[in-house]
């Protein structure tokens, strides 16, 4: 399932765009099977360094689309902002009858009047999928270097058409070759859950994953659901993981705000999982769920006791809970598209492909310059900073 299948399927009249309240936006989200958590009102309160607003598309007197817009000021030009819709907006990407302007022109007009120099959006629409067997074969084949070089992947016509029409309308693609840019990854990995049992999901995993799940259980690893008071323990392990794996950790306040805001919007939206072995915290993960879509958003693990496989135990607990909640998808989020065995990034896709499931390519991020001179200055500034 892709998000464009979840939005309204007809356009009764040319829509208009106007601000909506958090309550109106949240009510619209709850009518969907799912939207990305970055398109919920609460996410605007999590991203404290950005301004935010909720917008609605109205047609025939009813709300037919919604989007969370994050506003990023330009350094030295505070009156102008980059208007960013991460994994949004939630509109009818599949049924616009060839008229992309009917949806996006009123958005551009509203945001330009608000002082935006450009719009960046990330349509939640797929272009290609590859199953686990295809990805595994690609990693083993020295002649295949990238997911896009795999034969036999499934093409999603709506995503191909969305990309074509965005380009024709003057939108500029932002997704880099490696799939990771300044914003959202273009390539992700997900495990379908709809209509499947725990046994179905477990059998689709590779032998190593099944062995590690059993090893964790045999070693006595216990996975529990944590509370906000456990965030300090999570963060300590997360900082340890960052030092080991070479990334910059977010501060404790970020996670405290995320838990407070997402939990206030929906008590079951965000869950902390803690894996302990003989009292030692060996792994911890954070799951976010909106409707029928669940995301693995953060993880941490200890260097000691890696042999007890606490991370696999956490993953299996999250998958089981997602199944029990009636989710259609368990989303492991971003991957790079590399299949080159010599590339250090290939380990990420090898880990995720072990769950079974499929690799997914999305349309990616696109910019529409509204004030070209300011946009060029901003682009130059970001390039100098390494984005």
């Amino acid at each position: 399932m892709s998000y464009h299948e979840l939005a309204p399927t007809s356009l009764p009249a040319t829509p208009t765009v106007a601000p909506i309240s958090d309550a109106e936006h949240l009510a619209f989200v709850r009518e969907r099977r799912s939207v990305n958590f970055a398109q919920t009102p609460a996410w605007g309160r999590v991203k404290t360094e950005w301004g935010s607003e909720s917008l609605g598309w109205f047609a025939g007197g009813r709300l037919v689309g919604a989007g969370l817009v994050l506003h990023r000021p330009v350094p030295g030009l505070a009156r102008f902002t980059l208007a960013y819709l991460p994994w949004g907006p939630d509109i009818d990407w599949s049924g616009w009858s060839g008229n992309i302007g009917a949806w996006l022109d009123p958005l551009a007009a509203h945001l330009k009047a608000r002082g935006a120099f450009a719009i960046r959006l990330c349509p939640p629409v797929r272009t290609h999928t590859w199953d686990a067997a295809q990805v595994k074969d690609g990693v083993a084949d020295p002649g295949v270097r990238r997911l896009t070089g795999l034969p036999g992947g499934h093409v999603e016509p709506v995503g191909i058409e969305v990309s074509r029409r965005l380009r024709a309308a003057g939108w500029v693609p932002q997704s880099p070759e490696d799939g990771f840019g300044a914003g959202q990854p273009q390539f992700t990995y997900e495990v379908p859950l709809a209509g499947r049992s725990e046994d179905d999901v477990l059998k689709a995993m590779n032998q190593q994953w099944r062995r590690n799940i059993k090893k964790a259980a045999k070693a006595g690893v216990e996975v529990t659901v944590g509370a906000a008071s456990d965030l300090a323990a999570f963060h300590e392990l997360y900082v340890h993981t960052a030092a080991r794996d070479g990334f910059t950790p977010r501060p404790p306040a970020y996670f405290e705000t995320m838990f407070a805001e997402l939990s206030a919007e929906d008590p079951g939206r965000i869950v902390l999982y803690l894996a302990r072995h003989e009292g030692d915290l060996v792994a911890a993960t954070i799951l976010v769920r909106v409707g029928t879509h669940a995301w693995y958003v953060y993880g941490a693990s200890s260097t000691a006791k890696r042999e007890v496989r606490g991370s696999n135990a956490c993953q299996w607990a999250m998958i089981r809970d997602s199944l029990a909640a009636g989710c259609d998808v368990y989303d492991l989020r971003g991957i790079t598209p590399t299949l080159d065995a010599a590339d250090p990034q290939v380990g990420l896709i090898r880990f995720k492909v072990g769950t079974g499931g499929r690799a997914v390519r999305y349309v990616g991020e696109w910019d529409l310059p509204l004030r070209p001179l300011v946009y060029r200055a901003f682009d130059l500034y970001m390039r100098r900073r390494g984005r």
Side-chain angles (χ1 to χ4, degrees):
M1 177 175 294
S2 57
Y3 297 114
H4 72 265
E5 297 169 335
L6 311 177
T9 56
S10 62
L11 189 61
T14 301
T16 58
V17 168
I20 56 176
S21 68
D22 285 0
E24 290 173 304
H25 191 176
L26 186 57
F28 187 79
V29 167
R30 286 172 174 161
E31 291 175 359
R32 316 266 71 77
R33 285 189 67 78
S34 185
V35 302
N36 193 280
F37 62 88
Q39 280 296 299
T40 62
W43 197 246
R45 297 188 292 274
V46 173
K47 308 304 285 185
T48 55
E49 70 274 26
W50 299 64
S52 67
E53 65 175 327
S54 289
L55 297 180
W57 279 254
F58 293 87
R62 66 187 181 94
L63 187 62
V64 295
L68 176 72
V69 183
L70 302 177
H71 289 278
R72 179 176 184 171
V74 179
L77 294 171
R79 56 185 288 241
F80 296 121
T81 65
L82 171 67
Y84 181 37
L85 290 87
W87 293 110
D90 181 30
I91 58 175
D92 183 8
W93 291 102
S94 62
W96 53 34
S97 301
N99 186 8
I100 190 171
W103 290 101
L104 299 185
D105 288 353
L107 173 68
H110 172 85
L111 291 174
K112 187 172 184 179
R114 285 271 281 110
F117 68 88
I119 306 170
R120 177 169 297 169
L121 51 76
C122 182
V125 186
R126 300 171 181 160
T127 61
H128 301 82
T129 59
W130 300 268
D131 64 34
Q134 290 171 320
V135 177
K136 183 179 178 182
D137 289 345
V139 173
D141 185 347
V144 178
R145 298 295 185 91
R146 296 172 62 81
L147 277 171
T148 49
L150 277 177
H154 178 69
V155 177
E156 303 278 357
V158 171
I160 300 298
E161 184 66 7
V162 167
S163 297
R164 188 184 73 80
R165 293 188 181 278
L166 284 171
R167 194 182 299 274
W171 291 77
V172 183
Q174 298 299 304
S175 297
E177 281 295 306
D178 64 4
F180 279 110
Q184 310 306 320
Q186 188 178 15
F187 294 82
T188 67
Y189 205 88
E190 63 184 36
V191 179
L193 301 180
R196 304 175 75 192
S197 66
E198 287 184 16
D199 284 345
D200 293 334
V201 176
L202 196 60
K203 287 175 182 176
M205 293 181 177
N206 68 16
Q207 187 178 33
Q208 186 67 47
W209 259 84
R210 293 195 300 271
R211 184 184 297 122
N212 286 345
I213 290 170
K214 289 179 181 178
K215 186 179 290 187
K218 187 175 181 179
V221 174
E222 295 184 353
V223 180
T224 59
V225 171
S229 58
D230 294 303
L231 283 173
F234 162 80
H235 195 265
E236 182 179 354
L237 190 61
Y238 166 72
V239 169
H240 166 82
T241 305
R244 182 188 68 219
D245 295 348
F247 64 88
T248 303
R250 292 187 180 275
Y254 182 83
F255 295 99
E256 293 163 3
T257 301
M258 183 191 300
F259 264 77
E261 295 298 346
L262 269 62
S263 296
E265 191 167 270
D266 185 323
R269 179 142 298 164
I270 185 167
V271 184
L272 172 65
Y273 291 80
L274 304 167
R276 290 186 171 91
H277 179 259
E278 297 176 346
D280 297 322
L281 185 63
V282 293
T285 52
I286 294 175
L287 179 82
V288 173
R289 179 171 62 86
V290 181
T292 60
H293 201 117
W295 292 264
Y296 160 48
V297 292
Y298 285 100
S301 63
S302 65
T303 303
K305 292 191 172 183
R306 299 192 80 170
E307 72 279 0
V308 303
R309 304 300 177 185
S311 293
N312 294 92
C314 278
Q315 291 289 340
W316 183 230
M318 292 192 294
I319 290 171
R320 293 179 67 189
D321 286 355
S322 299
L323 277 164
C327 290
D328 295 329
V329 177
Y330 176 73
D331 196 324
L332 290 108
R333 302 185 75 206
I335 55 174
T336 63
T338 184
L339 298 180
D340 185 352
D343 189 327
Q345 292 290 343
V346 79
L348 182 64
I349 196 168
R350 278 179 170 157
F351 172 78
K352 294 183 179 183
V353 78
T355 63
R358 61 198 174 203
V360 182
R361 184 183 189 180
Y362 281 88
V363 168
E365 294 190 326
W366 295 73
D367 282 5
L368 180 67
L370 301 175
R371 292 177 168 87
L373 289 177
V374 181
Y375 178 76
R376 284 197 291 272
F378 176 78
D379 186 60
L380 180 61
Y381 168 78
M382 295 302 292
R383 289 179 188 278
R384 286 175 174 171
R385 292 185 63 218
R387 301 195 79 85

